[in-house]
Amino acid sequence: MPVYLVGGPVRDVLLGAPTTDLDFVLEGDAPQLASELARELGWHLVVHDRFGTATVSHEDCHIDLVTARQEVYSAPGALPEVSPGTIHDDLARRDFSINTLALPLFQSVPQPIDEHHGIDELGKGLIRTLHPLSFADDPTRMLRAVRYEQRFGFALEIESKAHLRHALASGYMDAVSGDRLRHELERILAEQHPGPALARAIDLGVLKAIHPALIDQTPILSLDSRSSGDNHSSSMLYLAALAYPLSSQDAEGVIQRFNLPGHWAKVVQDTGELRQLVPQFSSATLPNSEICQLLEGRSEEAIAAVSQIGRPGVVSQRLDLYLTELCQVNPILDGDSMLAMGVTEGPLVGRILGKLRTAKLDRLVESEEDERQLVRRILAGREDV
Ligand code: CTP
């Protein structure tokens, strides 16, 4: 059976870049070979019958097997009609020339197939679509283009850029489902450095075509300027940076448009709300207990992002203090100790514990004995709760 190593892994080997996933195209039944492979390796198998594809995976390692296919798009943004094809059809349906390289593994000394000038464009550092309607067929490729461009330090080739602008002006993005957009956004956010791709997507108007409020790069650039070197950046910090300038209404719109899952949606909502609280965090005095009151229950990623996006100063100090210390502060006494001290079982126990925590945060009590004295004062009616 003719088997080819294709796309990403061939590109990455030629670039000397690390690659983790292996993609194979077969002129034959990929799901069947995949199920035999999964059985032999004892790995996990997922089959997508509609596209004749299958993934065999174990922990972080994924092997994709694809039946060579041709694709016809009935309308911009629609999923393609798929039918079996040759390796040549399969390479011609792809997004960019740098992803069209194939290595025929059945040859004794495999020579790369390069029918779309992929090797030349890898050398020139260009992201080029294979035909003028590529972005119209599949507008998610606009997000892919900025991802590859910024990951490799390449440039979008000039005609491809014109096709991208035409696809944007034609409103093709509107036809794409939220799930497909989120999938590509997720892949940008999973890059080692998501900032440049997001900033570029804003610059080109790609994100604006997804939601009209996604137009401000400033928070992303300021996050980039404060992120440390080669460390892998957190996806959610960058999602928060996208959300930072949004009004509550626009934040809801973005959540709907990308069909964001609960955890992501919370990051988006909390970031916008925290930005609106910045004046309160800037006030000359703010007891620790009030910092906690303003931040409790909020997403940690949103708090960290707001801290890093703003200018270094009292706001970020307070947000960081919450994340590193205050959120872990708890009284030494617990519910059982309250009961043993004569507090009646019921809501009063929780209220006293809350009061103890506030006192501890504001450094009014420190030792266990301080806490006991406070409880005694409350029980004696000398202190409100
Ligand atoms: N592809 C495409 N259009 C898309 C998505 C994928 O043409 N909207 C093609 C690309 O040519 C790509 C292949 O399908 O090479 C596999 O897609 P994917 O797994 O997303 O790309 P990889 O190259 O494996 O991953 P990465 O680029 O992130 O390393």
Side-chain angles (χ1 to χ4, degrees):
M1 195 185 285
V3 180
Y4 303 82
L5 184 68
V6 290
V10 184
R11 175 200 68 209
D12 291 341
V13 165
L14 288 171
L15 283 173
T19 195
T20 49
D21 298 344
L22 295 179
D23 296 330
F24 296 101
V25 166
L26 275 82
E27 288 173 329
D29 188 344
Q32 195 200 325
L33 181 67
S35 72
E36 284 172 36
L37 187 64
R39 204 170 41 242
E40 200 158 308
L41 294 172
W43 287 17
H44 183 65
L45 172 71
V46 178
V47 172
H48 309 281
D49 272 328
R50 176 166 181 218
F51 294 108
T53 65
T55 302
V56 180
S57 60
H58 178 65
E59 294 174 357
D60 278 350
C61 182
H62 300 269
I63 299 177
D64 285 327
L65 293 107
V66 176
T67 304
R69 65 184 196 243
Q70 40 192 332
E71 291 179 345
V72 179
Y73 290 84
S74 56
L79 286 177
E81 301 294 327
V82 172
S83 56
T86 62
I87 182 70
H88 310 288
D89 297 324
D90 200 276
L91 298 177
R93 73 172 171 86
R94 287 168 185 261
D95 48 5
F96 307 112
S97 67
I98 60 164
N99 285 339
T100 61
L101 298 164
L103 210 55
L105 298 183
F106 51 91
Q107 292 176 355
S108 53
V109 183
Q111 294 302 309
I113 301 179
D114 180 16
E115 294 172 345
H116 304 277
H117 313 290
I119 293 179
D120 184 42
E121 278 154 5
L122 274 181
K124 289 181 177 152
L126 288 178
I127 306 295
R128 185 180 60 80
T129 50
L130 304 193
H131 60 91
L133 291 179
S134 184
F135 290 124
D137 284 346
D138 181 353
T140 66
R141 287 177 176 165
M142 298 191 234
L143 290 167
R144 296 174 65 82
V146 295
R147 176 160 64 86
Y148 291 124
E149 195 191 45
Q150 299 305 312
R151 184 201 290 171
F152 298 129
F154 283 12
L156 187 56
E157 180 268 340
I158 201 150
E159 279 188 24
S160 304
K161 198 196 285 183
H163 300 321
L164 178 143
R165 290 198 192 284
H166 181 261
L168 286 175
S170 307
Y172 293 145
M173 197 67 98
D174 296 347
V176 183
S177 74
D179 289 341
R180 290 185 64 210
L181 293 174
R182 188 189 61 252
H183 177 69
E184 288 301 338
L185 175 66
E186 199 170 349
R187 298 194 65 176
I188 291 181
L189 294 174
E191 289 286 306
Q192 185 161 17
H193 300 295
L198 289 175
R200 177 73 162 143
I202 289 173
D203 187 40
L204 286 168
V206 174
L207 290 182
K208 185 178 170 198
I210 296 172
H211 190 284
L214 295 174
I215 49 173
D216 187 356
Q217 306 176 335
T218 326
I220 291 162
L221 299 178
S222 84
L223 201 57
D224 265 354
S225 69
R226 290 182 66 184
S227 73
S228 51
D230 281 344
N231 288 345
H232 202 292
S233 316
S234 152
S235 299
M236 289 298 121
L237 276 185
Y238 280 86
L239 179 67
L242 263 187
Y244 187 81
L246 303 180
S247 67
S248 318
Q249 199 185 352
D250 286 334
E252 273 317 309
V254 166
I255 291 167
Q256 301 286 327
R257 183 64 185 103
F258 282 102
N259 197 17
L260 296 185
H263 174 65
W264 292 42
K266 183 152 178 58
V267 171
V268 170
Q269 284 156 342
D270 285 358
T271 305
E273 286 171 18
L274 286 173
R275 177 183 47 82
Q276 289 169 24
L277 291 177
V278 163
Q280 292 188 51
F281 282 109
S282 316
S283 66
T285 54
L286 186 66
N288 287 346
S289 57
E290 282 182 37
I291 298 180
C292 284
Q293 224 168 25
L294 291 168
L295 293 179
E296 231 125 48
R298 309 245 182 214
S299 129
E300 285 188 14
E301 287 101 338
I303 299 171
V306 174
S307 157
Q308 291 182 42
I309 287 165
R311 265 191 240 113
V314 69
V315 175
S316 59
Q317 277 164 18
R318 284 170 172 161
L319 297 179
D320 292 346
L321 178 69
Y322 173 80
L323 289 176
T324 54
E325 263 183 52
L326 303 184
C327 69
Q328 293 154 25
V329 169
N330 277 308
I332 300 166
L333 297 181
D334 60 11
D336 287 341
S337 339
M338 299 287 108
L339 298 178
M341 289 183 73
V343 179
T344 326
E345 195 167 352
L348 184 60
V349 175
R351 293 215 319 268
I352 296 182
L353 283 173
K355 173 100 181 182
L356 283 178
R357 178 161 187 255
T358 302
K360 188 157 187 178
L361 283 165
D362 294 340
R363 309 222 157 85
L364 301 173
V365 297
E366 272 183 31
S367 64
E368 184 174 336
E369 185 45 34
D370 293 344
E371 291 187 13
R372 287 187 183 279
Q373 282 181 15
L374 177 56
V375 177
R376 283 188 213 111
R377 284 204 300 280
I378 292 169
L379 289 175
R382 279 186 283 127
E383 189 102 33
D384 287 339
V385 64

